[in-house]
Amino acid sequence: MLRQYELVDLVKSYDPDANEDALNRAYVYAMKKHGAQLRTSGDPYYSHPIEVAGILTKFKLDSTSIIAGLLHDTVEDTDATIEEIKELFGEQVAQIVDGLTKLAMIELKSKDTKQAENFRKLLLAMSEDIRVLLIKLADRLHNMRTIQYCAEEKRLRISRETLDIYAPLAERIGMQEIKTELEQIAFRELHKEAYESITARLNFLREKGSDLVPAIIRQLEKDMAEGGIRCEVSGREKSPYSIWCKMQKKNASFEQLSDIMAFRIIVDDVAACYQALGIVHSKYHMVPRRFKDYISTPKPNGYKSLHTGVIGPENTRIEIQIRTQEMHEVNEKGVAAHWAYKQGEKTAGKNFRWIQELLEILEESSSPEEFLDNTKLEMYNDQVFCFTPKGDLIGLPVNSTPVDFAYAVHSKVGNTCVGAKINGEIKPLRTILKNGDQVEVLTSKAQHPSPEWDRFVVTGKAKAAIRRYIRANKREQFITLGEQILERTFKGENLEFGEKVLISVLPNFEAESVEDIYAKVGEGIVSAWDVLKAVYPSYKQSKLGKVVKSFKAKSLGRDKKNKAEPLPIKGLIPGMAVHFAGCCHPLPGDRIVGIVTTGKGVAVHSIDCKALEKYASEPERWLDISWGDAAESDLHVGRLKIILANEPGALGDLSNIIARAEGNIANLNITNRTMSYFELIVDVEVHDLKQLNDIIAAVKSSKVVSYAARAN
Ligand code: MN
């Protein structure tokens, strides 16, 4: 175990400005807090965070990271609190430890390997500060190094998770060293027999060809020297795990795998990389399809190198990687090394401003691919990942709610959801989900999607499903309303009404069923009068011939005995045709004026009608008229503008209120519609202004109505 002064010296060796005092205090604090706790190995628990800190020094991380590494298990496993850590070690350390504590609490329960990718994204998304991830990887590495002390079941589970989650994560942020070691140990635990047989085989080959690796290194060094290239050559057998992977991939036996040795040539600069490659290719036979240029096209995680396969010295098939020292460091240590390089270039190098440095690198880099994984860190910031009760992970956009979650699980779950438990507690459906939340959707067969939900859901799937449901539901309302309007209209005229009479006129309205006609009338696309005229084409001419209609849907349900009466208006020129203007719909009680129109007789307007403005310069056309004594006994159309909540049943409520006030809906037109309200123009037949005002008052008192007034 690293002693306190050893750790401090290690950090100071690459960061002379390290916060020595805080490092010392963190070391002591971790020891004290973990106290007598023991690991499964029998070692004191505090040896673990200290070893983790030691691993972090290999990546030359700043003192904040080392301190957070020392403290990473204190909040989870001891009585230490985030507040205390913040007080003692500052905001940054506290935030990182908090992030690590949250990571420790989530665990991938699902056995489904497809979930692994989501889980990795979850870890990335939760590691807002990349140091959280680096410490998590160091933590996992030390746990793997000491895994032999764990029980069989735990060993397998942790190894599986390491292989599925943490090794790919290490690779993604370019930390090859950690990735390789994690894989080695996990492989040894999970596939003991394969591991042992490959290792035995490697040992056998090593004994047989005793100094093959050193011999090849010597030859390659000689080749490079002859070509005038300064370099360092190293060689190794490939790891048992990478050999095993190749065997799996190529479905080959160990004997069939020829290149089990890999060599690395490290040169001074990029130009030398290509010169060295030229030397290798001119001297040895190339193996087809093995050459890869990751310098001109780096891997997404920033990896740069030249790869080639040749029949090399000693007639052995080998793999050769050629790269600069800087590329090598970055390949092995990932973002950490890149940062260290940038740091080294700075003469002062006072502040370790890790994240800012990374951002600068990102901004400066000409190729956005270069540090794709950091952009990925940001990319996942607009997603949250939540667990189902079974442990499956669901990825959702940021600001998603339990309703989004429910629809992501299944439309049926979404349509019937009534509530949600988040981490075991009942929460409102509009609660915004956080990374790692476990969400249990409560459903009820009686529930339907609510238009309310549309205001807070964010996923397209949820929005589409809610709107689809409401549209279907609205049609039901229109059908009911349309049937009511038509029935009143027909019966008011003493005409036969029913599906039978409507079937014959379906084509007139491009309807496929009687319900279609009801829906069209209910929605105001077709007026009830149009339907009546279609069914009884001769009706209007014979019975309503004398009445000049103010607009197409006027004069429905009128009382028969009044029908023969002319318009009850005083002051008219006898014999002159007269009609009520469609713009203002004057009612008995309104002050009115007559306008002599060209060819259409006299139009009756209310005195405040805007349409009168255009006759202002022609006083000769104005007629002074007033309502006759019997005016109220006739029916007139009053036009209302109503804003109605877009709720199931609201239209039905409205029509009932109007019917109770003895008004008759002659026509209804939806002029605007949003998810939360309808804007309607409703033409109501009334006797006079007072009745219309009564209807307005009744309509206004309904809780589904937010605005009602006479329309002008
Ligand atoms: Mn730990």
Side-chain angles (χ1 to χ4, degrees):
M1 190 182 83
L2 272 178
R3 287 158 198 271
Q4 192 172 334
Y5 72 88
E6 287 172 335
L7 180 67
V8 173
D9 283 352
L10 265 174
V11 179
K12 289 191 80 176
S13 71
Y14 60 84
D15 177 13
D17 298 326
N19 187 341
E20 198 173 327
D21 166 60
L23 281 168
N24 281 317
R25 283 189 292 116
Y27 191 103
V28 174
Y29 184 84
M31 274 183 91
K32 233 196 238 161
K33 282 291 171 187
H34 289 293
Q37 288 174 351
L38 292 180
R39 304 201 86 210
T40 346
S41 61
D43 288 332
Y45 193 93
Y46 55 74
S47 66
H48 166 67
I50 292 168
E51 290 302 328
V52 168
I55 292 171
L56 295 171
T57 63
K58 295 242 159 45
F59 297 99
K60 303 191 165 116
L61 294 193
D62 61 334
S63 12
T64 302
S65 308
I66 309 294
I67 292 165
L70 286 168
L71 306 177
H72 81 269
D73 277 333
T74 53
V75 174
E76 200 201 342
D77 292 339
T78 77
D79 62 2
T81 63
I82 290 294
E83 290 71 37
E84 193 177 48
I85 286 174
K86 189 170 160 187
E87 218 167 274
L88 293 171
F89 302 99
E91 177 81 44
Q92 270 201 328
V93 171
Q95 267 177 12
I96 295 173
V97 173
D98 192 37
L100 285 158
T101 309
K102 281 185 189 138
L103 281 192
M105 287 190 293
I106 59 165
E107 184 192 336
L108 183 62
K109 282 189 233 151
S110 173
K111 296 266 186 306
D112 185 357
T113 47
K114 275 179 285 176
Q115 293 289 321
E117 175 61 18
N118 269 342
F119 196 79
R120 289 193 292 269
K121 287 180 186 166
L122 170 66
L123 294 183
L124 280 172
M126 286 185 76
S127 314
E128 281 157 18
D129 188 324
I130 195 157
R131 289 175 291 195
V132 171
L133 203 59
L134 296 174
I135 296 168
K136 182 73 199 170
L137 288 171
D139 176 36
R140 175 52 60 115
L141 181 59
H142 184 249
N143 285 335
M144 288 302 284
R145 283 177 181 172
T146 51
I147 199 165
Q148 65 270 27
Y149 301 106
C150 295
E152 166 96 5
E153 186 274 329
K154 191 176 177 188
R155 278 204 323 252
L156 293 180
R157 181 172 57 79
I158 299 284
S159 298
R160 183 83 257 156
E161 191 185 61
T162 299
L163 218 48
D164 287 345
I165 310 287
Y166 291 98
L169 262 187
E171 180 172 32
R172 191 170 285 183
I173 59 169
M175 307 188 82
Q176 196 63 30
E177 271 181 17
I178 286 193
K179 177 209 161 214
T180 308
E181 190 174 349
L182 288 175
E183 279 174 353
Q184 278 331 318
I185 304 171
F187 172 55
R188 189 191 72 205
E189 293 299 323
L190 289 169
H191 304 280
K192 217 163 204 102
E193 279 178 22
Y195 175 82
E196 276 164 8
S197 76
I198 292 173
T199 312
R201 180 75 189 162
L202 283 173
N203 287 341
F204 171 76
L205 286 177
R206 203 175 298 134
E207 276 159 32
K208 210 177 82 178
S210 55
D211 48 2
L212 211 47
V213 170
I216 294 173
I217 289 176
R218 276 195 301 278
Q219 183 58 48
L220 286 173
E221 278 171 344
K222 210 174 131 213
D223 298 337
M224 291 298 132
E226 280 168 9
I229 302 284
R230 271 205 327 164
C231 68
E232 267 173 50
V233 182
S234 60
R236 61 184 168 97
E237 284 156 357
K238 287 188 175 171
S239 71
Y241 180 67
S242 67
I243 290 172
W244 185 74
C245 284
K246 202 159 267 179
M247 284 165 66
Q248 301 292 108
K249 207 164 104 190
K250 296 195 171 165
N251 207 2
S253 70
F254 186 77
E255 280 69 25
Q256 290 170 285
L257 289 179
S258 41
D259 54 347
I260 54 163
M261 278 178 286
F263 295 84
R264 202 168 274 153
I265 302 174
I266 293 181
V267 297
D268 291 338
D269 51 38
V270 175
C273 288
Y274 289 99
Q275 285 163 18
L277 180 75
I279 294 168
V280 169
H281 280 176
S282 63
K283 205 129 189 242
Y284 304 102
H285 279 293
M286 237 178 114
V287 178
R289 289 188 302 277
R290 294 301 304 274
F291 171 66
K292 301 225 168 59
D293 182 351
Y294 292 118
I295 293 178
S296 63
T297 316
K299 287 190 189 180
N301 65 6
Y303 180 95
K304 286 184 187 173
S305 187
L306 298 175
H307 287 191
T308 189
V310 294
I311 311 295
E314 311 288 324
N315 239 349
T316 314
R317 199 171 139 158
I318 56 172
E319 183 185 297
I320 296 179
Q321 301 172 347
I322 303 168
R323 51 178 78 159
T324 65
Q325 184 63 34
E326 179 173 352
M327 288 175 200
H328 182 61
E329 289 280 320
V330 171
N331 294 347
E332 295 299 304
K333 295 191 168 62
V335 288
H338 203 117
W339 166 76
Y341 260 84
K342 292 294 281 188
Q343 201 59 38
E345 283 166 18
K346 295 208 166 166
T347 42
K350 268 181 193 155
N351 294 319
F352 281 79
R353 293 168 55 187
W354 169 264
I355 290 300
Q356 285 88 330
E357 282 293 327
L358 268 182
L359 290 178
E360 272 171 40
I361 293 166
L362 267 176
E363 278 161 18
E364 286 165 16
S365 90
S366 52
S367 135
E369 296 278 311
E370 199 174 351
F371 265 88
L372 190 70
D373 280 287
N374 295 296
T375 32
K376 268 190 187 148
L377 270 177
E378 284 181 355
M379 233 164 64
Y380 299 136
N381 281 347
D382 55 23
Q383 277 182 284
V384 291
F385 298 90
C386 300
F387 291 96
T388 67
K390 279 186 193 153
D392 284 343
L393 265 175
I394 307 266
L396 295 164
V398 123
N399 291 331
S400 286
T401 63
V403 178
D404 293 294
F405 183 90
Y407 276 105
V409 172
H410 197 280
S411 311
K412 257 192 205 147
V413 180
N415 284 335
T416 56
C417 90
V418 285
K421 280 187 181 174
I422 300 175
N423 303 323
E425 271 179 61
I426 300 243
K427 292 275 163 134
L429 283 175
R430 59 183 331 130
T431 309
I432 288 175
L433 297 174
K434 294 197 295 293
N435 266 316
D437 278 347
Q438 196 219 52
V439 184
E440 185 185 344
V441 178
L442 310 173
T443 59
S444 156
K445 275 189 192 144
Q447 174 70 341
H448 300 298
S450 153
E452 278 289 298
W453 296 353
D454 193 57
R455 293 188 203 163
F456 57 73
V457 297
V458 298
T459 51
K461 192 174 177 192
K463 277 192 187 296
I466 293 166
R467 286 176 186 172
R468 198 180 316 121
Y469 176 84
I470 288 168
R471 249 196 320 275
N473 187 343
K474 213 174 277 162
R475 185 176 148 84
E476 293 287 301
Q477 286 188 60
F478 286 141
I479 289 170
T480 314
L481 182 69
E483 188 178 2
Q484 279 177 24
I485 293 177
L486 281 172
E487 189 175 358
R488 278 189 219 159
T489 305
F490 280 64
K491 295 217 166 131
E493 301 289 327
N494 279 332
L495 293 168
E496 193 196 347
F497 175 73
E499 297 205 1
K500 266 198 309 226
V501 304
L502 292 176
I503 279 173
S504 61
V505 298
L506 292 182
N508 301 31
F509 303 100
E510 288 169 13
E512 282 173 9
S513 65
V514 172
E515 286 199 338
D516 279 354
I517 293 188
Y518 292 160
K520 283 182 180 191
V521 172
E523 201 173 352
I525 297 168
V526 168
S527 83
W529 186 250
D530 288 341
V531 178
L532 188 143
K533 274 194 300 185
V535 177
Y536 303 104
S538 58
Y539 182 74
K540 182 187 147 193
Q541 283 77 11
S542 58
K543 300 271 178 73
L544 296 177
K546 282 187 179 170
V547 179
V548 183
K549 288 171 43 53
S550 61
F551 70 108
K552 59 177 181 174
K554 193 206 167 269
S555 77
L556 304 171
R558 110 185 3 248
D559 191 345
K560 272 212 152 171
K561 74 174 186 215
N562 288 324
K563 201 162 285 163
E565 297 280 318
L567 287 165
I569 302 245
K570 289 196 268 191
L572 280 176
I573 302 156
M576 197 161 193
V578 64
H579 67 273
F580 292 115
C583 43
C584 50
H585 299 286
L587 294 175
D590 284 326
R591 288 188 55 212
I592 49 175
V593 67
I595 295 290
V596 180
T597 65
T598 36
K600 284 183 188 165
V602 176
V604 179
H605 290 264
S606 72
I607 196 80
D608 53 359
C609 179
K610 286 222 169 74
L612 294 174
E613 283 169 20
K614 60 179 178 244
Y615 304 107
S617 59
E618 300 166 277
E620 69 281 3
R621 304 181 89 175
W622 293 58
L623 287 179
D624 188 14
I625 54 171
S626 61
W627 296 99
D629 298 332
E632 303 85 45
S633 63
D634 207 347
L635 280 169
H636 307 269
V637 168
R639 179 164 280 192
L640 299 179
K641 181 179 174 183
I642 295 173
I643 297 178
L644 193 62
N646 191 350
E647 276 176 20
L651 279 168
D653 283 1
L654 178 69
S655 83
N656 284 334
I657 293 165
I658 294 175
R660 271 202 304 275
E662 292 180 6
N664 184 27
I665 296 178
N667 202 2
L668 175 148
N669 230 314
I670 295 169
T671 52
N672 194 7
R673 180 192 304 168
T674 73
M675 286 314 292
S676 46
Y677 64 86
F678 283 120
E679 205 176 275
L680 313 160
I681 292 292
V682 183
D683 291 328
V684 187
E685 288 184 326
V686 290
H687 292 282
D688 55 15
L689 183 62
K690 187 183 172 299
Q691 192 191 353
L692 188 74
N693 286 337
D694 289 348
I695 290 174
I696 291 173
V699 166
K700 268 185 167 171
S701 70
S702 162
K703 61 177 190 302
V704 296
V705 171
S706 60
Y707 174 89
R710 204 166 164 195
N712 287 312

